[in-house]
């Protein structure tokens, strides 16, 4: 018998959504401490919903809970970024290929792309870009595949926030997004999947380039 997930209380959900938004838009930076009493005062709640929200965020990989350091926003390094993006490279292009083969409507992807192009700030653009990618893979016809990609979506967004803070590359990525969507709308499943694979691979390589073998050698 399948267990039914316990609903998250509304106050916990409110705090969870607020903290996640600040992390994914770069307002809370990797390594930054998250103090329960300060967050409780900021959001006008007791420490209990804050504690529960932080536990949930730890489960999704956005924060780290340490007995000695307390709770901090997860640090992003090259190994972490490559692990997350390797999962995306394995799963996301295939999900898009299946969505196109199914003739799934991609109106949500088009809307997200428009929101990203007209975004007023980095935070809004970042969230729209996340929704663009999700709108491509979610209608793949395999709910488990969609959930697996959802599980790494927040960590991928954290990597992006760190990369964009040092090297904004919105225009290049927006052009790549438009080409991916064009191919998908044209019914070119393989072309769209290939373009998406190249898009994901090039981003992580630009942000966290592989060291050359001779680097670091005497």
């Amino acid at each position: 018998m399948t267990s039914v997930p316990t609903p998250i209380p509304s106050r916990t959900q409110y705090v969870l959504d607020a903290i996640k938004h600040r992390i994914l838009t770069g307002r809370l930076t990797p390594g930054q401490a998250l103090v329960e009493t300060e967050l409780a005062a900021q959001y006008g709640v007791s420490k209990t919903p804050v504690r529960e929200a932080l536990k949930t965020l730890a489960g999704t990989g956005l924060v780290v809970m340490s007995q000695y350091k307390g709770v901090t926003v997860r640090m992003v390094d090259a190994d972490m970024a490559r692990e997350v993006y390797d999962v995306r490279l394995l799963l996301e292009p295939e999900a898009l290929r299946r969505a196109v083969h199914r003739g799934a409507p991609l109106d949500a992807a088009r809307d997200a792309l428009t929101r990203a192009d007209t975004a007023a700030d980095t935070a809004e653009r970042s969230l729209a870009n996340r929704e663009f990618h999700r709108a491509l893979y979610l209608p793949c016809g395999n709910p488990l595949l969609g959930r697996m990609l959802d599980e790494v979506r927040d960590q991928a967004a954290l990597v992006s926030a760190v990369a964009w803070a040092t090297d904004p590359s919105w225009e290049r990525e927006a052009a790549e997004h438009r080409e991916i969507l064009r191919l998908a709308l044209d019914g070119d499943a393989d072309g769209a999947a290939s373009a998406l694979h190249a898009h994901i691979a090039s981003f992580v390589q630009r942000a966290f380039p592989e060291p050359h073998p001779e680097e670091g050698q005497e």
Side-chain angles (χ1 to χ4, degrees):
M1 192 173 171
T2 304
S3 61
V4 178
T6 304
I8 298 176
S10 58
R11 288 188 180 183
T12 300
Q13 188 67 55
Y14 163 70
V15 175
L16 172 64
D17 290 344
I19 296 174
K20 180 191 285 190
H21 185 273
R22 292 174 66 195
I23 292 173
L24 297 183
T25 55
R27 290 169 182 165
L28 290 172
T29 56
Q32 187 168 342
L34 301 174
V35 182
E36 285 184 13
T37 52
E38 293 177 1
L39 292 168
Q42 181 176 348
Y43 295 119
V45 298
S46 69
K47 290 198 295 183
T48 300
V50 172
R51 187 176 302 119
E52 293 304 313
L54 292 176
K55 287 180 181 177
T56 300
L57 290 169
T60 64
L62 284 182
V63 307
V64 176
M65 306 184 88
S66 166
Q67 181 179 354
Y68 304 103
K69 295 183 180 180
V71 183
T72 57
V73 179
R74 183 175 182 178
M75 295 294 293
V76 173
D77 59 20
D79 288 340
M80 178 269 197
R82 292 186 192 119
E83 285 176 7
V84 171
Y85 273 67
D86 188 42
V87 173
R88 291 187 67 193
L89 285 168
L90 289 169
L91 300 180
E92 200 168 325
E94 177 60 25
L96 175 57
R97 180 183 287 108
R98 294 184 179 201
V100 176
H101 275 311
R102 296 178 70 235
L106 297 174
D107 294 343
R110 185 190 289 108
D111 292 344
L113 194 56
T114 299
R115 289 199 305 275
D117 287 341
T118 59
D121 55 31
T122 301
E124 186 179 339
R125 189 179 293 112
S126 176
L127 294 173
N129 278 346
R130 292 178 72 229
E131 289 307 313
F132 172 77
H133 279 273
R134 189 168 192 259
L136 293 179
Y137 68 69
L138 205 59
C140 66
N142 184 328
L144 177 58
L145 179 55
R147 288 196 298 272
M148 291 173 69
L149 282 163
D150 272 350
E151 287 182 7
V152 299
R153 192 166 73 116
D154 288 345
Q155 294 179 56
L158 180 58
V159 171
S160 297
V162 171
W164 286 325
T166 57
D167 182 24
S169 51
W170 297 111
E171 291 185 4
R172 172 173 177 166
E173 287 151 39
E176 292 172 354
H177 284 174
R178 284 190 287 270
E179 177 63 8
I180 293 165
L181 183 58
R182 183 190 68 78
L183 291 165
L185 292 173
D186 284 347
D188 185 351
D190 291 338
S194 178
L196 178 58
H197 188 283
H199 167 69
I200 296 170
S202 65
F203 178 84
V204 74
Q205 181 58 33
R206 289 197 309 273
F208 299 94
E210 292 275 6
H212 294 295
E214 65 271 14
E215 287 185 7
Q217 297 181 1
E218 294 290 338

